[in-house]
Amino acid sequence: MELVLFDLDGTLIHTDSDHAFGDFLIQEGWVDGAEFKTRNDAFYADYLAGKLDLPAYVTFSTSAWRKRPAVEALAVRERFMQQVMQPAITHKALELVRSHQQKGHLVAIVTATNEFVTIPIAQAFGIEHLIALQLVQQADGVYTGDIKGVPTFREGKIQRVEHWLNQLGRQRADFAAVHCYSDSINDLPLLEWATHPVATNPGQTLEAVAQQRAWPILRLFE
C-alpha cells in the first residue's frame, strides 16, 4: 500500500478556505467588514510569507462564528460550501484524488485550516481521512478559540500524521511510497518526510526549493 497526503488550501482548491470563509462572513454581515477584512488579509499575508502566528489567527478567524448558536454556524457553513467551495473544486483536482483512491492508496487531507471549516470540503472530495487543526470545545460544545493538541502546521503535520497512522495500527515504514502534495513552503517538513514530494501549484519559495531538489512540479489550475 502507498500513502498519499494532500494539503488542501492552494493545493486541491485554488483558494484558502479559512480566509475565504472570513470573506464570506463579511458578505453575510456577521462581522465588521472593513476591520475584519484588514486583519484577515494581514494574517493571510503572514501565512504566505511563512511567519503566521497560528494561535492568534485561529482565535481571530473563529471569533466570527464560534459564539453563534450551532444551528446558525452550521447553516452559514453550508451556504459557504454551496456558494464558494463547490465551485472551487475542479475536475482536475478530483481526478488526481480519484487516481490514487482507485489504486488502493491510503489517502488523507492534512491541513492547517480548522476542522469546522474543512470537514465538508473533505467530504466533497470523497476523502474519508481528514487531519485538520482541532479546536477546543467547552462541555456545552461551544468553541473557545484555542487550538486542541498539536496543530497541523509545519512540523506539527508530521506529528499528527504519525499519530493518525498509529491509531490505524500503521507506521510510515509500512508503505511502499509516501506521496505528499502541497503548494506551501510551510509544508516543507512534510514534503521532506515523504518519499515522493510534489510541489503542487507552488508559491515562489517552494517552487525554488522544488527546482533545486528536482521535485516534480504539478499545476492543477492552469
Side-chain angles (χ1 to χ4, degrees), residues 52-182:
L52 177 66
D53 181 341
L54 185 63
Y57 176 61
V58 170
T59 299
F60 163 76
S61 64
T62 60
S63 66
W65 57 265
R66 57 185 158 85
K67 295 182 180 179
R68 295 269 185 154
V71 64
E72 292 184 13
L74 291 171
V76 81
R77 185 180 71 175
E78 178 60 25
R79 294 194 296 275
F80 172 68
M81 275 299 303
Q82 292 176 358
Q83 297 176 34
V84 180
M85 285 295 98
Q86 287 290 354
I89 298 175
T90 66
H91 181 68
K92 200 169 181 180
L94 282 170
E95 278 190 332
L96 177 60
V97 171
R98 297 290 179 270
S99 69
H100 283 292
Q101 292 174 326
Q102 289 166 2
K103 293 173 184 175
H105 298 167
L106 179 60
V107 177
I109 288 175
V110 190
T111 176
T113 299
N114 70 72
E115 56 195 346
F116 180 83
V117 171
T118 54
I119 284 173
I121 304 173
Q123 291 171 345
F125 272 100
I127 296 177
E128 176 185 357
H129 301 286
L130 172 66
I131 307 170
L133 185 141
Q134 297 175 308
L135 299 170
V136 174
Q137 287 181 280
Q138 298 173 343
D140 58 4
V142 174
Y143 292 98
T144 68
D146 296 320
I147 297 170
K148 178 181 177 181
V150 176
T152 38
F153 190 53
R154 297 177 181 156
E155 292 81 2
K157 285 195 172 186
I158 298 173
Q159 295 180 54
R160 290 286 307 281
V161 167
E162 289 178 336
H163 178 70
W164 165 67
L165 289 175
N166 288 339
Q167 289 180 314
L168 297 178
R170 296 181 178 275
Q171 56 185 344
R172 181 179 180 275
D174 295 337
F175 298 93
V178 178
H179 307 263
C180 180
Y181 294 84
S182 179

Side-chain angles (χ1 to χ4, degrees), residues 23-57:
D23 283 346
F24 187 75
L25 294 178
I26 293 172
Q27 296 176 29
E28 292 282 303
W30 280 35
V31 292
D32 178 274
E35 180 181 353
F36 190 90
K37 181 169 179 54
T38 297
R39 294 192 64 195
N40 197 33
D41 290 349
F43 276 119
Y44 185 51
D46 285 348
Y47 170 77
L48 294 176
K51 57 179 185 180
L52 177 66
D53 181 341
L54 185 63
Y57 176 61

Side-chain angles (χ1 to χ4, degrees), residues 6-17:
F6 287 105
D7 176 49
L8 177 62
D9 302 311
T11 300
L12 286 179
I13 53 174
H14 190 29
T15 187
D16 182 281
S17 56

